[in-house]
Amino acid sequence: MNTISKIHLTEGNDLNHLYQESVELLSTLITIPSLSGEETSTADHIESFLNQHGVNTLRKHNNVWCYNKYMEASKPTILLNSHHDTVKPNGQYTRDPFSPTIENEKLYGLGSNDAGGPLVTLIATFLYFFERKDLPFNLCLATTAEEETSGELGIRDILSDIKEIAFAIVGEPTCMQMAIAEKGSMVIDCVAKGRSGHAAREEGDNAIYHALKDIEWFKSYLFPIMDGEPQPVKMTVTEIKAGIQHNIVPGECSFTVDIRFDHNYTEKEIVNTVINHTSCDFTLRPNVLKPSYIDILHPLVVAGLSLGRKTYLSPTSSDQGWLDMPSVKMGPGNSARSHTANEYIGIEEIEEGIDIYISLLESLSF
């Protein structure tokens, strides 16, 4: 627990009530199935929760957003964003994924860590500042949908509707450290062509063998980068399919490549490199997430460093990739727990997250 922040923040503020409300809100959200594209009920509940606290909300599809009470157009606006959709529970769950349970100060349930914990802590942070008249900034809280599938009706569907944003905090489980850069994400579907024939005779041209050459290239190719810099592009073959029966040489082999890339390479540069080094046909899936980056000297990063937060490059993608303004990915919980069976978040992690978010915003210097 951040003791210095706790002492500073509890003066005249009922943080204990915010802590309790956050755990209760997250527990309720866990009981409501909210798979990507099916978040109507969680959006309804979040909207009702905010309305009960005197907050006027706006809504488009299953995205709910709002602003602090004393907003002024002359002040910069900070976006607080996290998502309320979840992935499907995997088959290894031994607990009911929709039944919130607290054991040993851990709250179990689907979406508790990704991203229910960051979501409710950002909501609590927004409510903490909601009626403050002396803020040097405005706040826009956006609780959004379809993050897990990069859906078209998620955050990118409301970016033209919300007021101009100076910079953003994207709530994802990062152990409250600051991801100041996030790799982009793209997927290509490849098809290696051959010619069908009988497996017992010297007939046909095996498409699998053609695919293997390209797969080996995807596995081993290193994109040029300056000495000492981390690899800018990571390509991983994640799916493969070929053949219809054992005695037929396959004429076609399809496989899928997941590609993560940082700001050193553009989508076009990566695609051209693939074209120049492989023989397969391929198509690029839509919804390419671009890499994000914020300057180490940005006031948000400086404020975080002053609180003892560390910076790092995130290997995972999030809604941060849709934003056209500087942003930091930061939230309670641990990314390693995301999408795992019996997902959980610590009660203390939620409390610490609220403390640090509040301290971060109060430490900002423009």
Side-chain angles (χ1 to χ4, degrees):
M1 189 74 64
N2 191 319
T3 307
I4 295 176
S5 297
K6 175 77 74 175
I7 294 171
H8 173 65
L9 293 170
T10 52
E11 295 177 1
N13 299 293
D14 189 2
L15 277 183
N16 286 329
H17 181 66
L18 278 179
Y19 299 154
Q20 182 179 349
E21 270 201 328
S22 298
V23 173
E24 291 173 354
L25 174 59
L26 179 53
S27 296
T28 300
L29 291 174
I30 289 171
T31 69
I32 306 171
S34 56
L35 306 182
S36 288
E38 303 173 13
E39 312 96 334
T40 301
S41 295
T42 45
D44 290 344
H45 187 75
I46 292 168
E47 190 171 27
S48 175
F49 177 86
L50 291 168
N51 293 162
Q52 289 170 13
H53 284 75
V55 180
N56 293 321
T57 54
L58 298 150
R59 180 166 175 173
K60 186 176 183 182
H61 305 298
N62 292 324
N63 305 294
V64 178
W65 72 99
C66 49
Y67 302 94
N68 58 298
K69 189 172 184 178
Y70 299 102
M71 188 167 183
E72 295 183 24
S74 61
K75 297 178 180 178
T77 299
I78 303 170
L79 174 66
L80 307 179
N81 166 247
S82 193
H83 64 95
H84 56 95
D85 63 310
T86 71
V87 296
K88 295 179 180 180
N90 66 57
Q92 295 183 333
Y93 264 85
T94 59
R95 299 171 178 268
D96 182 348
F98 302 108
S99 179
T101 306
I102 297 178
E103 291 182 12
N104 299 319
E105 292 300 302
K106 297 175 181 177
L107 174 56
Y108 290 86
L110 181 65
S112 55
N113 179 77
D114 182 17
L119 174 71
V120 299
T121 53
L122 282 175
I123 291 174
T125 302
F126 174 81
L127 292 176
Y128 179 89
F129 289 108
F130 176 63
E131 294 193 9
R132 283 267 292 269
K133 296 181 180 180
D134 61 341
L135 291 178
F137 50 77
N138 303 309
L139 288 176
C140 173
L141 171 70
T143 67
T144 49
E146 299 192 10
E147 189 273 347
E148 296 291 2
T149 56
S150 298
E152 295 182 357
L153 300 183
I155 188 171
R156 56 182 168 150
D157 193 45
I158 66 170
L159 289 175
S160 61
D161 297 297
I162 61 179
K163 298 183 185 299
E164 184 177 354
I165 300 297
F167 54 90
I169 300 173
V170 177
E172 290 283 342
T174 71
C175 299
M176 289 308 293
Q177 306 305 336
M178 298 185 296
I180 61 170
E182 179 184 80
K183 285 193 172 182
S185 172
M186 55 194 286
V187 179
I188 58 174
D189 293 305
C190 306
V191 179
K193 298 290 184 65
R195 188 178 70 259
S196 295
H198 199 296
R201 297 190 292 268
E202 293 296 324
E203 294 178 348
D205 181 17
N206 199 318
I208 292 177
Y209 298 155
H210 290 290
L212 286 174
K213 294 178 183 178
D214 287 343
I215 289 171
E216 178 60 30
W217 178 83
F218 282 114
K219 174 186 175 183
S220 59
Y221 184 79
L222 298 178
F223 282 76
I225 192 69
M226 291 179 61
D227 290 343
E229 292 292 316
Q231 272 300 308
V233 182
K234 183 178 187 299
M235 302 183 292
T236 306
V237 177
T238 55
E239 297 176 272
I240 188 167
K241 182 179 180 180
I244 54 175
Q245 65 185 54
H246 75 93
N247 58 351
I248 299 177
V249 172
E252 186 172 290
C253 178
S254 60
F255 59 97
T256 299
V257 186
D258 177 277
I259 301 175
R260 307 298 170 117
F261 60 104
D262 66 19
H263 59 282
N264 287 289
Y265 280 87
T266 67
E267 170 192 331
K268 184 177 180 180
E269 288 171 332
I270 295 170
V271 168
N272 285 339
T273 301
V274 174
I275 290 173
N276 291 333
H277 289 83
T278 63
S279 60
C280 60
D281 297 329
F282 69 88
T283 56
L284 176 64
R285 292 187 189 180
N287 301 336
V288 174
L289 282 171
K290 65 180 183 297
S292 58
Y293 175 77
I294 187 171
D295 195 283
I296 193 72
L297 298 179
H298 190 280
L300 184 60
V301 179
V302 171
L305 291 172
S306 73
L307 297 173
R309 301 298 93 197
K310 297 178 180 179
T311 61
Y312 73 102
L313 168 63
S314 174
T316 60
S317 301
S318 70
D319 276 341
Q320 194 177 19
W322 301 119
L323 302 181
D324 290 323
M325 73 287 295
S327 61
V328 162
K329 183 167 71 175
M330 180 182 190
N334 190 325
S335 181
R337 298 183 210 138
S338 299
H339 306 177
T340 62
N342 302 327
E343 183 182 351
Y344 71 88
I345 190 167
I347 301 300
E348 188 174 84
E349 290 179 293
I350 293 174
E351 295 177 358
E352 181 187 52
I354 295 170
D355 287 348
I356 293 175
Y357 277 146
I358 293 174
S359 291
L360 181 66
L361 291 175
E362 289 194 326
S363 300
L364 282 173
S365 178
F366 295 95

